[in-house]
Amino acid sequence: MKEQRTNYKRDKLSPDKVKRVEALGFEWDPIAALWEKRFSELVRFKEEHGHCNVPRGWSENPELGSWAGTQRAFYSRGKLSPDKAERLGALEFEWDPNAAIWEKRFSELVRFNEEHDHCNVPNKWSENPELGRWVTTQRSNYKRDQLSPDKAERLEALGFEWDLFAALWEERFSELVRFKEEHGHCNVPARWVENPELSTWVTAQRSRRGKLSPDRVERLEALGFEWDPSSASWEKRFSELVRFKEEHGHCDVPARWGENPELGNWVHTQRRAAKNGQLIEERRRRLEEIGFRF
């Protein structure tokens, strides 16, 4: 068979023999014939799936998946004939499917940003799980320096956050600033119904004080953030008791003192804590020094 192809190519095979061999379905160029076969399979794949991105290990036709990958490799090396490249291009064959997928996901992110005013797609977002995973991958690639500067620039122009935890910290800090402006302090109630997330975040900052960056500690303290609000509250009431003593000559604040009900309740609480052995010794000493009667 190889000899017949060689003779045919050299025009040394008689027309009669050529006709007889072709009547048997003989292929003079099996490589070209195989290409045409795979191209026809790709056409049918496109009709069924709407695209030409045949998976590399596609179980229904592993050869087609490998062939598609080979066409891309030949094209990138300049080894694919212009005719074949043109026929594949007319079929909307994607020479770089990864780039095509990136552009598709980026377009989806643009729409998400328009609807939600941010780019923080949940990792397991039910409406589009692929987009959630893609966003996570972009952050991972950026961290590993595996994201092209062009792609990074396009994402940043969209307001993309590379460090989601840092972005969330800044968001909660801004909410705490507004809370301080409205209430005059940073002691967000533990289960504040208006913003439960802020309550949880404030508690987390206190428990992680030793692990917070110096910059964050400094910013919180500049806002008047109290790391131990119960201690701060005690000191406030103690100062009020000192002023009461200076004005009245004693520390027996009425339980329901109209001028400062909280101080009256606090005094009662100190006596009860001392009776139950729950008052810190240092606090007991300070109260005794100003003439407090237990």
Side-chain angles (χ1 to χ4, degrees), residues 234 238 241 251 266 270-271 279 282-294:
W234 196 93
F238 182 78
L241 181 61
C251 298
W266 181 83
Q270 304 313 299
R271 291 190 172 113
L279 188 62
E282 190 266 341
R283 290 180 176 177
R284 182 185 183 97
R285 179 185 58 76
R286 291 174 64 190
L287 286 167
E288 289 176 342
E289 286 177 352
I290 62 171
F292 188 86
R293 296 190 304 175
F294 292 96

Side-chain angles (χ1 to χ4, degrees), residues 70-82 85 95:
T70 299
Q71 305 315 299
R72 293 184 177 106
F74 282 173
Y75 181 82
S76 65
R77 297 170 188 168
K79 294 183 178 181
L80 193 66
S81 71
W95 301 109

Side-chain angles (χ1 to χ4, degrees), residues 165-191:
F165 294 107
L168 182 60
W169 196 92
E170 293 297 336
E171 180 181 349
R172 295 289 177 256
F173 182 80
S174 296
E175 293 172 350
L176 182 62
V177 170
R178 292 194 294 272
F179 180 92
K180 171 73 179 293
E181 292 172 350
E182 293 179 13
H183 300 85
H185 61 80
C186 298
N187 298 325
V188 184
R191 296 180 180 179

Side-chain angles (χ1 to χ4, degrees), residues 51-65:
H51 60 81
C52 297
N53 298 325
V54 186
R56 171 70 69 165
W58 190 41
S59 59
E60 292 187 31
N61 189 339
E63 293 80 6
L64 181 58

Side-chain angles (χ1 to χ4, degrees), residues 11-30:
D11 201 21
K12 293 182 178 182
L13 203 62
S14 68
D16 174 65
K17 289 181 178 179
V18 169
K19 186 180 296 185
R20 290 173 63 189
V21 171
E22 289 180 343
L24 293 173
F26 188 79
E27 298 285 357
W28 298 110
D29 187 346

Side-chain angles (χ1 to χ4, degrees), residues 190-256:
R191 296 180 180 179
W192 192 39
V193 294
E194 291 188 31
N195 191 337
E197 293 81 4
L198 180 59
S199 300
T200 302
W201 181 83
V202 164
T203 300
Q205 303 315 297
R206 292 185 174 118
S207 64
R208 300 186 66 252
R209 181 181 183 181
K211 298 180 180 179
L212 286 178
S213 67
D215 172 68
R216 289 180 175 176
V217 170
E218 183 178 349
R219 290 173 65 189
L220 285 167
E221 291 181 344
L223 195 62
F225 188 83
E226 295 172 347
W227 300 104
D228 185 349
S230 62
S231 177
S233 178
W234 196 93
E235 293 296 337
K236 178 182 179 181
R237 295 291 176 245
F238 182 78
S239 297
E240 293 172 349
L241 181 61
V242 169
R243 290 195 297 272
F244 180 92
K245 169 72 179 295
E246 292 172 351
E247 293 179 13
H248 300 84
H250 62 81
C251 298
D252 298 328
V253 185
R256 298 180 180 179

